[in-house]
Coordinates of all heavy atoms in Angstrom, one line a residue:
Chain B
A2 N 174.4 -93.1 -107.6 CA 173.2 -93.6 -107.0 C 172.0 -93.0 -107.7 O 170.9 -93.5 -107.6 CB 173.1 -93.3 -105.5
T15 N 146.8 -87.8 -88.7 CA 146.4 -86.4 -89.1 C 147.0 -85.4 -88.1 O 146.9 -85.6 -86.9 CB 144.9 -86.3 -89.1 OG1 144.3 -87.1 -90.1 CG2 144.4 -84.8 -89.3
T20 N 159.3 -84.9 -92.7 CA 160.1 -84.5 -93.8 C 160.5 -85.7 -94.7 O 160.9 -86.7 -94.2 CB 161.4 -83.8 -93.4 OG1 161.1 -82.7 -92.6 CG2 162.3 -83.4 -94.5
V50 N 165.5 -74.4 -108.9 CA 166.4 -74.2 -110.1 C 167.8 -74.1 -109.7 O 168.7 -73.8 -110.5 CB 165.9 -73.1 -111.0 CG1 164.5 -73.3 -111.5 CG2 166.0 -71.7 -110.3
I54 N 167.1 -71.4 -104.3 CA 166.0 -70.9 -105.1 C 164.9 -72.0 -105.2 O 165.2 -73.1 -105.7 CB 166.5 -70.5 -106.5 CG1 167.6 -69.6 -106.5 CG2 165.3 -69.9 -107.3 CD1 168.3 -69.4 -107.8
D56 N 160.4 -72.6 -105.9 CA 159.2 -72.0 -106.4 C 158.1 -73.0 -106.3 O 158.3 -74.2 -106.2 CB 159.4 -71.5 -107.9 CG 158.4 -70.3 -108.2 OD1 157.5 -70.1 -107.4 OD2 158.6 -69.7 -109.3
G63 N 150.2 -76.9 -98.1 CA 150.5 -77.9 -97.1 C 151.9 -78.4 -97.1 O 152.2 -79.3 -96.3
S69 N 169.3 -76.0 -99.6 CA 170.5 -75.4 -99.1 C 171.8 -75.9 -99.8 O 172.8 -75.2 -99.8 CB 170.6 -75.6 -97.6 OG 170.6 -77.0 -97.3
T70 N 171.7 -77.0 -100.4 CA 172.8 -77.6 -101.2 C 172.3 -78.0 -102.6 O 171.1 -78.2 -102.7 CB 173.4 -78.8 -100.5 OG1 172.5 -79.9 -100.5 CG2 173.9 -78.4 -99.1
T71 N 173.2 -78.2 -103.5 CA 172.8 -78.7 -104.8 C 172.2 -80.1 -104.7 O 171.3 -80.5 -105.4 CB 174.0 -78.8 -105.8 OG1 174.4 -77.4 -106.0 CG2 173.6 -79.3 -107.2
D73 N 170.6 -81.8 -102.1 CA 169.5 -82.2 -101.3 C 168.3 -81.3 -101.5 O 168.4 -80.1 -101.6 CB 169.9 -82.2 -99.8 CG 171.0 -83.2 -99.5 OD1 170.7 -84.4 -99.7 OD2 172.1 -82.7 -99.1
A81 N 150.0 -83.0 -91.4 CA 149.5 -83.9 -92.4 C 148.0 -84.1 -92.4 O 147.3 -84.0 -91.3 CB 150.1 -85.3 -92.2
G103 N 163.2 -90.4 -108.7 CA 163.5 -91.3 -107.7 C 162.5 -92.4 -107.6 O 161.5 -92.4 -108.3
G105 N 160.4 -93.1 -105.2 CA 159.1 -92.7 -104.6 C 159.0 -93.1 -103.1 O 159.7 -93.9 -102.6
T106 N 158.1 -92.3 -102.4 CA 157.8 -92.5 -101.0 C 156.2 -92.7 -101.0 O 155.5 -91.8 -101.5 CB 158.2 -91.4 -100.1 OG1 159.6 -91.3 -100.1 CG2 157.6 -91.6 -98.7
L111 N 146.4 -91.2 -91.8 CA 145.2 -91.7 -91.2 C 144.4 -90.6 -90.5 O 144.9 -89.6 -90.0 CB 145.6 -92.8 -90.2 CG 146.4 -94.0 -90.8 CD1 146.8 -94.9 -89.7 CD2 145.6 -94.7 -91.9

Side-chain angles (χ1 to χ4, degrees):
Chain B
T15 297
T20 299
V50 299
I54 306 169
D56 206 347
S69 56
T70 67
T71 299
D73 300 296
T106 294
L111 304 175

